[in-house]
Amino acid sequence: MAPVSSIDAEVNSLTTAAGGVYAHPSVEQLFVRPTTNGGREAFLLIDGIRCGACALNVERGLQRLAGVRDAEVNFSTHRARVLWDGSRLKLADILGAVRNSGYGARPYDPSHRETGLESERKLRLRRLGIAGLFGMQVMAISLALYAGDFTGMQESLRMLLRWASLVLILPVIAYAAIPFFLHAASDLRRARTGMDVPVSLGLLIAFSGSVYSTLTGSGAIYFDSVAMFVFFLLLARYVEFSARVRHSRIAESLVTAPPAMATRLRATSQGLIPEPVLAAALVPYDRVVVASGETVPADGVLVSGGSTLDESLLTGESRPIRKTTGDEVIAGSLNFDSPIEVSVRHAADDTLLANTLRLVARARAAKPPAVQLADRITASFVAAMLLIAVVVALYWWYAAPDRWLPITVSVLVITCPCALSLATPAAHAAGVGALTKLGIIITRSHALESLAKANRFVFDKTGTLTLGKLIVSRIETQDELSEENAIRIAAGLEQNVSHPVARSIRSLCCGAPAQAKAIVVTPGRGVDGRVDGRRYMIGSVDFVAERLAQPQVARNFDAPELETVVLLADESRVIASFVLRDEPRADAVRVLERLRSMGISLSLLSGDRAQTTAVLATRLGFENASGELLPQQKLAVIRGMQAGGETVAAVGDGINDAPVLAGADVSFAMAGGPEAARASADLILIRDDLESIAASVGIARRTRGIIAQNLSWAVAYNLLAVPAAALGYVPPWLAAVGMSLSSLIVVGNSLRAGRARFPQKGS
Amino acid sequence: MEVLYLLLPLSVVLALVIALVLLLAVRSGQFDDLEGPAYRVLADDDNSSNSQASVVKPRDHSAET
């Protein structure tokens, strides 16, 4: 068998080549479609577009690339479509060209779900356009008819105008208004009353009554009211839909990760040959090589080599774990220092990672649907209004048979719960816009509502409140050695070591590190070498104690549980010690303080060791903290809090947080975390800024306040308008105008949520 | 006034034609990107899919740098 280290070099060249995984044919094939004349087509997500000119830059850059036939960047969606000559360019070249111009680019598969949204948007746009176009014609005619009432119009001309408006309203009723009828029908089938039931009823009564009037040539027609009503409702829904699509697009592009690759060893006559394959294509008992810095592609057993692995994404354990032959490794963990060979046991759908994702799905299914409350209120409101409309219709049927139709239509139109159904989404969209400006992307529509109600925040530790990497917090040197010199020697010894501790020590070094010779690396433990002719060693306490044959060293430098100690020694004794720890983020204290001032209780739940967790909890002032929790246990704790009547918001970053994020009422994930965590979170922090969490609570509460104002307005409006309409003081056109004005007022009010300037201290 | 009896039906037909054009425009993707065209107008070099027209431009750039 070929030695693992020689394979390593080759593997690196395969996976880190320009274009990364996209350079590989099996990956390229996932995203590129052949067109005519050897052409290729792919769709890209462009990151970093902040302005229209940026999009233009990307488009020009792509068009100038030799071999590109056509490139088009959509400025609204930040998606690009590229057509190129397959014989002259590869997908990776195109991605590289975009990256060189300073933007990010990833291919995506547009057939995935994009096309569904796009065709729905076009359908809505067509319906809105038709309603607007024909609605205007009908309004113009009704104006002519209205003027005719005063100037005296020939009866034949009046008839012609009525017939013309009947023809013109047909597309509105038969095409544009179809969604209302379909929704109403499905509501009725399920014995519910949504807002589309009175809308449809009002439309149908007004329409058929007007058709009857047109046919018989007597009575009034209300086609103008019908047209106005349909147009405004469709407009409101279109606006709400586009806001939703825009945010889901941003969110979607955030959770699109490149497909995972693995390096499989294939048995041939010349021995084992490494070949890159998609991680999804691995099967049990495949041999794979994991180079240092790569992610383990599947659960398995280490069969050759030894290394330290970071399993923090899965277990929350902040310190890398030493693994040797025979140990089990988990998919998704990161290999730090030396290449290892793994025999796959569970691949693809059967890994711990995939199982965690299933847990997420289960938790999601049990999620309390806060949104449904608004629907239920609308439903009972609508049911009451329908009842009133029937009573009104019956009364006027007996009292004044020629007036029952306009009055009933007026009542149905004027009571349309538009303030409820339009203002709530509008306020919501404005609040979501304000969050986006803060760098927070919302992925579930209920998030804002739940966030406003949240009275407990649960934080994960590693990577969320802390930086998630080891940082040198203290250096102690013996007598004559200066701190600077110690760093210089240490950095020189650790020069080519990729272990996180080594990286952290190297990052301290100011000028040039010392020139170290005869370096011998003991993976995961330490380094020996010569600097300026003297022998030095650097490594873990055990390593140095063993080399010096001084067991007391191990006792002297016994690491406190939350710290990692690295010792630098010469031939005879320890000359310096470096204390590393996972430091809390600078903004962690501030965000906790602001949340507390908003009356929110705080908890720390971590998978890391209990003592480490407790120390951090005291430092940050948590009243409630527990460590050594498995994802399921974390979820159980949260379920307990929810059972106690609390609305729980969770903040996390790792795969181990995913079930918690899905099970909490509302959840935040850090954008830097893995896809699983982002996919199960309701809100994603794009910028590495914890304080925006507190700001987002302010926005959510403000949005909730605005929605409450809108609802009070709607109630006041209905208390005034419904009796007036029922008594016959409101003709249908006035009802439609009143409904539209009322909607405008609430929409105008809702937009304030987007301009929200929330106070710095609490709310 | 009699001309109205001709004009009204005509306007109805016209409205139907406009509706047809609107539907075709939506289908052809004219409303897909409502922001881009505003910026494309401002671009100083001609947006040509064939490279002959832009031969001069890159040379200008190289002279500057």
Side-chain angles (χ1 to χ4, degrees), chain A residues 16-68:
Chain A
T16 58
V21 297
Y22 299 113
H24 193 260
S26 62
V27 177
E28 190 175 7
Q29 202 187 341
L30 291 177
F31 299 103
V32 177
R33 269 189 303 220
T35 60
T36 50
N37 293 337
R40 298 282 185 273
E41 182 187 37
F43 292 83
L44 312 180
L45 291 167
I46 312 288
D47 294 325
I49 292 185
R50 299 269 176 271
C51 59
C54 308
L56 198 67
N57 274 344
V58 174
E59 190 175 279
R60 288 296 131 95
L62 284 171
Q63 283 166 351
R64 290 215 186 92
L65 203 62
V68 168

Side-chain angles (χ1 to χ4, degrees), chain A residues 364 367-368 370 435 440-459 600 638-639 642 646-652 659-669 680-684 693 696-697 700:
Chain A
R364 177 160 304 296
K367 194 154 203 159
L435 286 185
I440 297 179
I441 292 301
I442 208 159
T443 63
R444 309 265 191 282
S445 56
H446 75 87
L448 210 57
E449 257 179 277
S450 312
L451 190 56
K453 281 188 290 191
N455 51 12
R456 176 171 291 278
F457 260 75
V458 171
F459 282 88
I600 291 169
I638 285 185
R639 290 267 182 263
Q642 284 169 333
E646 287 181 314
T647 304
V648 180
V651 188
V660 174
L661 295 180
D665 295 290
V666 59
S667 51
F668 291 85
S680 49
D682 304 310
L683 300 132
I684 299 167
I693 292 176
S696 71
V697 176

Side-chain angles (χ1 to χ4, degrees), chain A residues 52-53 56 59-60 63-64 73-76 118 121-122 125-126 129-130 133-134 154 156-157 160-161 167-168, chain B residues 1 4-5 8-9 12 15-16 18-19 22-23 26-27 29 31-36 39-40 43 45 47 49:
Chain A
L56 198 67
E59 190 175 279
R60 288 296 131 95
Q63 283 166 351
R64 290 215 186 92
V73 177
N74 186 319
F75 290 46
S76 318
E118 194 47 38
R121 196 185 69 86
K122 284 190 173 178
L125 197 60
R126 283 203 291 271
I130 292 295
L133 175 68
F134 288 101
Q154 288 170 26
S156 56
L157 192 56
L160 183 67
L161 284 170
V167 172
L168 288 169
Chain B
M1 272 315 232
L4 278 177
Y5 292 92
L8 268 172
V12 170
L16 291 172
I18 294 173
L22 177 80
L23 293 183
V26 172
R27 173 164 305 180
F31 296 94
D32 285 1
D33 184 3
L34 299 176
E35 291 167 46
Y39 290 100
R40 288 208 176 87
D45 55 336
N47 176 10
S49 47

Side-chain angles (χ1 to χ4, degrees), chain A residues 100 135 137 139 231 245 323 326 328 365 445 499 525 540 656 742:
Chain A
N100 287 342
Q137 312 304 313
M139 302 277 269
F231 177 70
V245 167
K323 301 261 179 180
E328 290 191 351
S445 56
H499 194 278
R525 301 201 64 204
S540 67
N656 62 321
S742 166

